Amino acid sequence: MRKLITISVMDRRSFLVSASAASCMLASIGRVAAENASAPERSLQFDSEFQAIIGSATPVEHGLTVDLPERADNGNFVPITISVESPMTDADYVKTIHLLSTANPVAGVARFHLSPLNGVARVQSRLRLAKSQDVVTLAELSTGDMLIATSFVKVLIGGCGL
């Protein structure tokens, strides 16, 4: 006994309806992914460390330059250069530069202590990032002012084993 096999062919109208439904679904998925990407996570450890550093000061986004790549191919080796506009005199100098990450297992990445003997408030180093995240740089001045700069780094291969 032979079975009859029927082949159904999608007509043009069904194809257009299916294609438009699929494109609407992909557009909504892309929108949700973009919303999640725009709000990077901040760990509780970062929040507590950030509060411990700034205390009651209000950081200002001026005078602090951070040279950090927007996209790092490897999170194990992310170059960073930090420069602070400061005369570096006995009366006005950069005391400490704090480097924090928002999503690393340890939020405090580095702390650099400077004095007028440095002459220029500039630090160059490398850091390790576990995944894409914000890197927050704080500069504590001898006048009591606090400067802040935030940079987002997209990491393609994580550097902290996460």
Side-chain angles (χ1 to χ4, degrees):
M1 188 167 230
R2 296 178 90 179
K3 257 183 155 176
L4 287 177
I5 299 174
T6 59
I7 299 174
S8 64
V9 177
M10 182 181 282
D11 62 351
R12 183 171 39 172
R13 182 174 300 223
S14 298
F15 175 75
L16 289 175
V17 169
S18 299
S20 63
S23 65
C24 289
M25 186 170 64
L26 288 175
S28 65
I29 290 172
R31 190 176 324 124
V32 169
E35 289 172 1
N36 288 340
S38 65
E41 66 180 87
R42 292 183 179 232
S43 67
L44 292 175
Q45 186 187 23
F46 168 78
D47 289 338
S48 65
E49 184 133 354
F50 182 78
Q51 281 302 322
I53 293 170
I54 65 166
S56 62
T58 304
V60 180
E61 294 183 17
H62 173 69
L64 182 60
T65 304
V66 178
D67 185 19
L68 194 61
E70 292 179 7
R71 178 181 154 164
D73 292 335
N74 187 348
N76 283 320
F77 181 84
V78 182
I80 185 169
T81 302
I82 304 165
S83 302
V84 183
E85 294 175 16
S86 172
M88 295 301 283
T89 60
D90 289 337
D92 186 10
Y93 64 96
V94 178
K95 286 173 53 178
T96 310
I97 296 174
H98 303 270
L99 193 58
L100 303 172
S101 69
T102 57
N104 269 6
V106 177
V109 175
R111 182 174 296 153
F112 304 97
H113 297 282
L114 304 175
S115 73
L117 295 176
N118 291 101
V120 177
R122 183 169 188 236
V123 174
Q124 192 168 18
S125 185
R126 301 177 300 236
L127 58 120
R128 179 182 272 186
L129 297 175
K131 54 187 172 182
S132 299
Q133 58 187 288
D134 279 333
V135 175
V136 178
T137 308
L138 293 162
E140 188 177 341
L141 306 180
S142 63
T143 59
D145 293 335
M146 184 77 73
L147 308 178
I148 187 170
T150 304
S151 307
F152 181 76
V153 179
K154 181 174 179 67
V155 176
L156 300 180
I157 300 172
C160 292
L162 295 176

